[in-house]
């Protein structure tokens, strides 16, 4: 028969084990166990933790020594929600000192996958099907007016219509892959999400030349072939996410038995997702608007803008990846009330982002001809593209800070600030500035709109950050 003190040590070990498996750091585990045992009057407490073992020594109030260890076996995954619930339980234990025999059930309840998460994943699957249905209809009905609104060249329009029609009509793979990747990331299995993305991308890269150059028949060549390769890659990525979620993700049980659509679950999904949806829409509207403005000069100016967007992704994508790693760190330390680590993470992210942007600036500023030659640029494209690259890249030096702060707002529960900055930058500043500069009659002047928009963006971002620092981060010190 275990004594209450032994039950207490066992419970504290189980909390420590659960914290480690959910991504808690070693120092947090040791501190949590020490605080729990100290709250019950245990003395001479010693806790030793490595990723595979926790060992505890302590003396009871009566002077008896207890030595226990727990081997850590299980699947490691970053689960910030579980860490926060374990932290809350630990604080409650320290404050109220409930009977040790009641703790095992509380810990087991936190370990079990939450039914709510399963229902939200079901709702996400339903929304995925609805989104596919919408884009299926768009692919059948809206492609022709969309492209002819931006170009009068029938060759360009027909190629665009063929490509985007295939991608929209067969977009189920894209939506399924996106949902599956988010489920993996939300349960801490980001490496599996990365693998699924790589599988889709590699399949696309391999199939592109096979289809584009007509090895599968003339009907599937050219832009149609490129679209087919893209869709097949998306379905392969979707298949990987379904496999990983059903076989490698115990936190998600995909089964629709007894499922009924929940307005509450769907509402919560859109509460979190609407700012991101809006920002994606804003980007598309900005591109559409810029194409209309540049068409007044020439189709080559539109092509230069398209090439710039392809090239800038090589500079911006590493920062987006950096942000994906930064957001959970900030959220985790915010929940743990560690403001110094929150600020340190922000500072490091800004420094790394600015370093990446500086490298991108140097490439665009000093080697624009070489960069454009990747796309077999004509003399007309070089004449417009070289000054365009050198002017546009000036905003890189400011964009790093804005991009990082936008993710900081989301990490601290203020995603609406990111939405406001994005909308103002791209719709209320960039497009009007580009239109006004286009009235000068020089396409080179249009590119300065990017720098103007970025100045406004960084000023707004810094103002919002100052507010968040005052209302959200600073109170953590007290």
């Amino acid at each position: 028969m275990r004594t209450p003190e032994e039950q207490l040590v066992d419970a504290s070990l189980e909390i420590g084990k659960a914290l480690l498996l959910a991504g808690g750091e070693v120092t947090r585990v040791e501190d949590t166990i020490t605080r729990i045992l100290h709250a019950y009057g245990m003395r001479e407490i010693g806790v030793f933790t490595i990723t595979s073992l926790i060992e505890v020594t302590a003396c009871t109030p009566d002077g008896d020594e207890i030595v226990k260890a727990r081997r850590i076996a299980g699947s490691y995954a970053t689960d910030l929600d579980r860490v926060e619930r374990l932290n809350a339980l630990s604080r409650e234990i320290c404050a109220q000192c409930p009977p040790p025999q009641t703790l095992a059930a509380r810990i087991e309840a936190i370990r079990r996958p939450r039914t709510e998460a399963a229902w939200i994943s079901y709702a996400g699957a339903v929304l995925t099907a609805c989104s596919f249905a919408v884009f299926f209809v768009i692919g059948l009905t809206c492609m022709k007016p969309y492209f002819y609104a931006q170009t009068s060249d029938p060759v360009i329009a027909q190629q665009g219509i063929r490509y985007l029609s295939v991608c929209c009509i067969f977009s189920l793979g894209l939506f399924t892959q996106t949902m599956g990747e988010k489920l993996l990331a939300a349960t801490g299995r980001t490496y599996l999400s990365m693998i699924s993305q790589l599988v889709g991308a590699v399949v696309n890269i391999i199939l592109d030349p096979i289809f584009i150059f007509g090895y599968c028949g003339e009907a599937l060549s050219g832009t149609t072939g490129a679209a087919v390769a893209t869709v097949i890659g998306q379905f392969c990525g979707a298949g990987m996410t379904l496999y990983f979620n059903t076989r490698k993700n115990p936190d998600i049980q995909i089964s629709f038995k007894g499922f009924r659509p929940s307005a509450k679950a769907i509402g919560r999904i859109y509460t979190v997702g609407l700012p991101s949806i809006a920002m994606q829409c804003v980007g598309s509207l900005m591109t559409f608007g810029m194409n209309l403005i540049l068409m007044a000069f020439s189709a080559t100016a539109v092509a230069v803008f398209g090439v710039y967007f392809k090239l800038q992704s090589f500079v911006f994508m590493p920062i987006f990846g950096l942000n994906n790693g930064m957001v959970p760190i900030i959220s985790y330390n915010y929940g743990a009330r560690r403001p110094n680590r929150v600020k340190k993470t922000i500072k490091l992210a800004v420094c790394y982002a600015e370093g990446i942007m500086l490298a991108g600036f140097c490439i665009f500023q000093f080697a624009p001809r070489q960069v454009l030659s990747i796309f077999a640029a004509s003399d007309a494209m070089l004449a417009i593209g070289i000054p365009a690259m050198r002017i546009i890249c000036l905003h890189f030096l400011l964009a790093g800070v804005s991009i990082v702060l936008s993710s900081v707002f989301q990490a601290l529960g203020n995603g609406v600030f990111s939405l406001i900055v994005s909308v103002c930058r791209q719709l209320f500043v960039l497009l009007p500035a580009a239109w006004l500069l286009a009235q000068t009659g020089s396409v080179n002047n249009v590119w300065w709109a990017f720098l103007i928009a970025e100045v406004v963006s960084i000023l707004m971002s810094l103002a919002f950050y100052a507010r968040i620092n005052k209302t959200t981060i600073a109170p953590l010190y007290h």
Side-chain angles (χ1 to χ4, degrees), residues 206-370:
I206 292 173
L207 294 180
D208 262 337
I210 296 174
F211 281 103
I212 291 173
F213 295 116
Y215 293 109
C216 293
E218 186 177 349
L220 296 178
S221 63
T223 52
T224 303
V228 171
T230 299
V231 167
I232 293 174
Q234 291 167 350
F235 272 98
C236 288
M240 293 302 298
T241 62
L242 290 174
Y243 172 77
F244 287 141
N245 276 300
T246 54
R247 300 298 180 89
K248 304 291 185 180
N249 191 356
D251 294 319
I252 299 293
Q253 288 84 36
I254 299 179
S255 172
F256 291 93
K257 184 177 181 181
F259 170 71
R260 295 292 183 275
S262 167
K264 181 179 179 182
I266 293 173
R268 290 186 61 186
I269 290 172
Y270 276 114
T271 298
V272 175
L274 271 177
S276 179
I277 294 171
M279 282 191 281
Q280 293 288 337
C281 292
V282 165
S284 299
L285 289 173
M286 183 275 292
T287 302
F288 183 78
M290 285 297 296
N291 285 342
L292 293 179
I293 292 170
L294 293 171
M295 273 301 298
F297 293 96
S298 66
T300 303
V302 176
V304 168
F305 180 64
V307 168
Y308 158 72
F309 250 82
K310 294 290 185 184
L311 292 171
Q312 71 143 21
S313 65
F314 289 101
V315 182
F316 282 64
M317 282 301 176
I319 300 178
F320 295 148
L322 179 73
N323 284 351
N324 288 338
M326 176 194 71
V327 167
I329 295 173
I330 290 177
S331 298
Y332 180 82
N333 285 288
Y334 171 68
R337 301 186 66 84
R338 296 188 175 185
N340 289 329
R341 298 187 71 173
V342 170
K343 287 191 171 183
K344 182 179 179 181
T345 302
I346 296 172
K347 290 177 182 177
L348 288 174
V350 168
C351 290
Y352 290 138
E354 284 299 311
I356 294 170
M357 283 299 190
L358 180 60
F361 167 80
C362 291
I363 293 171
F364 277 60
Q365 189 66 224
F366 302 113
R369 180 181 295 274
Q370 290 78 0

